[in-house]
Amino acid sequence: MTQVISQVSPQKPWRPKLKNLLPEVLGALFTAVSTLLIVAVTPLKGKLGFAIVLIIMSIVVSSLVSGIRRDKKAALNSTTTVLVYIASAFVIIPLFSILYEIFRLGIGGLSFGIFTKDMSLTSSDSPLTEGGLLHALIGTLYVVVLASILSTPVGILASLYIVEVKGRFAGLVRFFIQAMSGIPSIVAGLFIYAIWMINMGNSYNAVAGAGALAILMIPTVARTSEEVLKLIPPDLREAGLALGATQWRTVAMIIIPAAKSGLVTAVILGIARVAGETAPLLLTIGGADAINLNPFSGNSSAMPYYVWKNYSLGNPESISRAWLGVLVLMIVVFIFFSLARFFGRSKGVKK
C-alpha cells in the first residue's frame, strides 16, 4: 500500500494581500484627488489651505473606509492612527526643514582652514576664506566642560538625596529644582554678573560663563537623574543591604553602576540645554576675536557669541559666518553626544 505525501505550502498571514490593500489604495487616491478639487474650487488656496484640506480628508476617508470594511472601533482606530501620523509630521517636517536650511546656508564656508585660524587679524566682512572660528570652538569647549564639572555632581547628588536618602527636605529640594528649570537664561547671566563681577570685582572670563550655564544645567541633570534612579529595581537595593553593605556603599557600588547609561544621558541632556545659550554668555565672557587659552582670565569667545556677533553686524559675509557657526556647532555637538552615548551605554554580560 503506497502512501501519498502532499507538500503543503506554508501560510503567511502577515503578508498583505492585494485585495486587502485595494481599499486603502483607492482611499488614498480619492483623498488626493478630492483635496486638489477642493483647493481648486474653494478659497482655501496656497500651502496652508492644501495642508488643512488634506488633513481633514485623510481623517474622513480613512475613518469611512475602516468603518465600512469593519466596524466603529476600526474607524476610531483609523482616525487615531491618522492623527498620530499628522502629529509626527508636525515634528519631523520642521526638524528637517531647520537642518536643511542650516546645511544650505552654512556649507558654503565650511573648510579646513576655519578650524585653524581665529578672527584676530580678520574683520567680519572679509571673505569666508579668511579667518576662522578656532577661538570660538576653544571657548565653547571651556564653558561647556567647566559647566558640566560644576553642575553634574550637584545634579546627581540632589537626585540621590531625593530618591535614595529620602531625607526630610527631599520635597523642598525637588520643588526648588523644578523652580530652577523655569528660570530664563538671561536671569542666570544677570545673577553671575551681579555676584561675580559687581560684588566680587572680577572681570569677564570663561569661568563666569560656565557658572551661568551651570545654573541652567543643574535642574535638567537633577530631574533626569531622578527619573533614571526611580527605574532601578528595589531588589538591587535590598540585595546590597542584605549582604551587609551600608546604604551609601550600596548606592556607590550597585545603584550608580546600574544607572550609568541613564546618568550619562542626563548629563547629555544638560549639555544640550546649555550648548546653544547666548544670553548668559553676553553678560559673562566678554567676547574676543583671538584665542584665549586661560579660562580664568581675560575675555573669551564661544560659538553662540560668535553667531550672535556676526549676525548682528548685518553684512552678507558676517551673516554667512553666522550660519557657518551654527552648522559647525551642530556638527560638534552631534559628535560629542555620539561619543558620550557610545562610552556611556550599558554593556551586556559576557557569556
Side-chain angles (χ1 to χ4, degrees):
M1 183 177 181
T2 60
Q3 183 178 4
V4 179
I5 300 175
S6 60
Q7 185 176 3
V8 180
S9 60
Q11 301 295 321
K12 298 180 180 179
W14 59 85
R15 178 175 295 178
K17 298 180 181 179
L18 181 60
K19 64 178 181 179
N20 295 331
L21 291 177
L22 186 59
E24 280 79 2
V25 174
L26 294 177
L29 292 175
F30 178 78
T31 301
V33 173
S34 60
T35 300
L36 293 175
L37 291 176
I38 293 174
V39 171
V41 300
T42 63
L44 293 173
K45 306 295 182 181
K47 297 179 180 178
L48 180 60
F50 178 82
I52 294 175
V53 175
L54 180 62
I55 291 173
I56 296 175
M57 291 303 301
S58 299
I59 296 174
V60 172
V61 173
S62 177
S63 302
L64 288 176
V65 171
S66 298
I68 294 172
R69 293 183 60 196
R70 299 177 185 175
D71 51 19
K72 293 182 179 180
K73 291 184 178 180
L76 181 60
N77 180 70
S78 297
T79 302
T80 306
T81 303
V82 173
L83 291 175
V84 170
Y85 286 149
I86 293 171
S88 303
F90 278 130
V91 174
I92 295 174
I93 292 176
L95 174 62
F96 278 98
S97 177
I98 292 172
L99 295 177
Y100 171 75
E101 288 297 318
I102 292 175
F103 184 81
R104 182 178 66 86
L105 297 173
I107 194 63
L110 190 62
S111 64
F112 180 76
I114 64 174
F115 300 104
T116 60
K117 303 175 185 177
D118 56 22
M119 295 295 293
S120 58
L121 301 177
T122 307
S123 61
S124 297
D125 57 354
S126 300
L128 295 180
T129 54
E130 301 178 12
L133 42 73
L134 179 61
H135 60 297
L137 285 173
I138 294 176
T140 298
L141 179 64
Y142 276 144
V143 295
V144 169
V145 170
L146 291 174
S148 301
I149 293 174
L150 293 173
S151 62
T152 300
V154 176
I156 293 179
L157 288 176
S159 63
L160 289 174
Y161 179 78
I162 295 173
V163 178
E164 301 297 332
V165 178
K166 296 182 176 68
R168 57 187 300 183
F169 299 108
L172 185 63
V173 172
R174 183 185 291 109
F175 170 78
F176 279 110
I177 289 175
Q178 292 177 348
M180 287 180 63
S181 63
I183 294 178
S185 59
I186 189 66
V187 174
L190 287 171
F191 175 78
I192 296 297
Y193 179 80
I195 299 298
W196 180 257
M197 298 174 185
I198 296 180
N199 290 341
M200 300 181 64
N202 295 305
S203 60
Y204 294 105
N205 52 45
V207 174
L213 297 184
I215 295 175
L216 302 174
M217 190 173 172
I218 287 174
T220 302
V221 175
R223 294 181 65 184
T224 309
S225 300
E226 178 185 353
E227 297 302 323
V228 169
L229 292 173
K230 289 180 179 178
L231 297 176
I232 302 300
D235 296 343
L236 291 178
R237 300 177 178 87
E238 296 173 359
L241 296 175
L243 292 174
T246 61
Q247 183 182 24
W248 281 108
R249 188 174 181 84
T250 301
V251 170
M253 303 299 294
I254 298 176
I255 304 301
I256 292 181
K260 182 183 68 172
S261 60
L263 297 178
V264 171
T265 303
V267 177
I268 292 173
L269 292 176
I271 295 175
R273 169 71 174 85
V274 302
E277 288 290 346
T278 306
L281 301 182
L282 297 178
L283 300 170
T284 52
I285 64 175
D289 292 328
I291 297 174
N292 181 11
L293 298 178
N294 186 1
F296 300 95
S297 177
N299 292 13
S300 298
S301 185
M303 292 301 299
Y305 186 92
Y306 175 87
V307 173
W308 170 82
K309 178 182 178 181
N310 283 280
Y311 195 82
S312 62
L313 292 176
N315 57 74
E317 289 79 12
S318 63
I319 292 177
S320 298
R321 291 183 186 276
W323 282 109
L324 174 62
V326 174
L327 177 62
V328 172
L329 178 62
M330 184 180 66
I331 294 174
V332 170
V333 171
F334 175 77
I335 294 174
F336 178 77
F337 285 178
S338 300
L339 292 175
R341 288 296 298 166
F342 175 77
F343 290 111
R345 63 183 180 181
S346 298
K347 296 182 179 180
V349 180
K350 296 182 178 180
K351 296 182 180 180

